[in-house]
Structure formats: structure tokens, C-alpha cells
Amino acid sequence: MYEQIEKCNDYTTLTRIWLASVKATHHFLTDEDVEYYHHKLPVCYMPHVSLYAVRNDENAICGFIGIAEGMIQMLFVHPDYMGKGYGSQLLRFAVETKGIGLVDVNEQNTRALEFYRRHGFVVVSRDPVDGEGKPYPILHMELRCK
């Protein structure tokens, strides 16, 4: 069922996907903050999570998920492949094979918030700033039903 998902440490490709995805979905971030996170991603964040990539029918990586500390730390799909089931496949992989039921989401990222809600996650708490102390509220979500 998850034959298109594999462990992946190709930080260059994953960072490119992250940047394209963020530019398409995180309109609330300033350009300066996008650059800030962009530079930290392969150095400070990716080395601390287990990364899994999903490939399309042409065998190209089109999305990825990062898991650590019992939760989804990141899930990004290239905009060309959004809405085609790759994000759902990555999420099901995390839930069904890794037993993950927690995720944090930027409150302003309504597309991601609705994505997780459709998959049975509910908001259980909120922080007014993100992990870097920036003014982007974080919603802590937990899987309640499948």
C-alpha cells in the first residue's frame, strides 16, 4: 500500500519541495521569514526528524513527511501535486505504520488545518507564537477518529 513511500535524506530535493509548498500555502509569512526558515530547514530541522518521501508515477519525489518525538513535524507536497492524494498517503503512512496521532499546524494555514480535520484530527490547544517565537500561532492537533 505504501510502495511509493520511502525513507529519504535528500535534503536538497526536499527543501525545494518545502519552498514551493510554502510559497503556495503560507501567504501569511513575510518574505524574510520564508528565507529564515528556508535556511534553517536542512541544517536545524531535517537532521532531527525521520523523513519519508512519496514518489509520483514518474518516480519523482512530490512530497514528504517528517516524524519525530511521536508526532508529525512537517508534511509538504509540491504545489503541482496538491489535491492528488499524496498528502493523504503520507498522513495515512504516519498514522497506520508509525502510530502517529499528533501534529502542529500554523493557525493561518487554513488549507492544512482543514486537511487534518478531514482526516480525524481535532485542535486540542493553541500557542500564540511558533517554536521560533515568531507571531504565527500554532494549533496542536490530535487524531480522534480515523
Side-chain angles (χ1 to χ4, degrees):
M1 177 177 201
Y2 299 110
E3 54 276 341
Q4 292 176 294
I5 297 178
E6 63 191 34
K7 196 126 173 83
C8 180
N9 288 317
D10 180 351
Y11 293 175
T12 301
T13 298
L14 300 184
T15 298
R16 270 191 237 127
I17 291 168
W18 176 90
L19 184 59
S21 180
V22 165
K23 286 185 175 185
T25 60
H26 289 60
H27 304 293
F28 54 91
L29 292 177
T30 66
D31 290 341
E32 293 79 17
D33 282 334
V34 170
E35 280 305 306
Y36 173 83
Y37 294 114
H38 180 235
H39 291 295
K40 289 190 80 159
L41 187 67
V43 178
C44 299
Y45 303 140
M46 287 183 170
H48 301 287
V49 299
S50 295
L51 294 164
Y52 300 89
V54 63
R55 293 183 179 271
N56 63 18
D57 292 336
E58 290 78 42
N59 205 35
I61 295 173
C62 58
F64 71 95
I65 191 167
I67 300 168
E69 301 172 11
M71 69 184 296
I72 296 167
Q73 300 289 337
M74 55 185 78
L75 192 163
F76 293 94
V77 174
H78 190 282
D80 293 346
Y81 300 98
M82 288 179 181
K84 297 183 179 183
Y86 293 106
S88 295
Q89 189 176 354
L90 288 164
L91 182 59
R92 282 192 307 274
F93 169 80
V95 169
E96 295 173 6
T97 69
K98 302 297 180 185
I100 304 298
L102 301 172
V103 66
D104 289 347
V105 179
N106 288 107
E107 184 174 67
Q108 299 102 320
N109 188 349
T110 55
R111 184 174 180 158
L113 181 58
E114 289 308 311
F115 168 80
Y116 288 111
R117 282 185 170 147
R118 279 194 315 273
H119 287 280
F121 285 78
V122 297
V123 175
V124 294
S125 64
R126 178 185 185 272
D127 287 331
V129 296
D130 69 10
E132 297 287 334
K134 294 188 178 280
Y136 304 113
I138 298 295
L139 300 176
H140 306 286
M141 302 184 80
E142 182 176 290
L143 183 62
R144 291 286 168 87
C145 60
K146 295 182 186 177

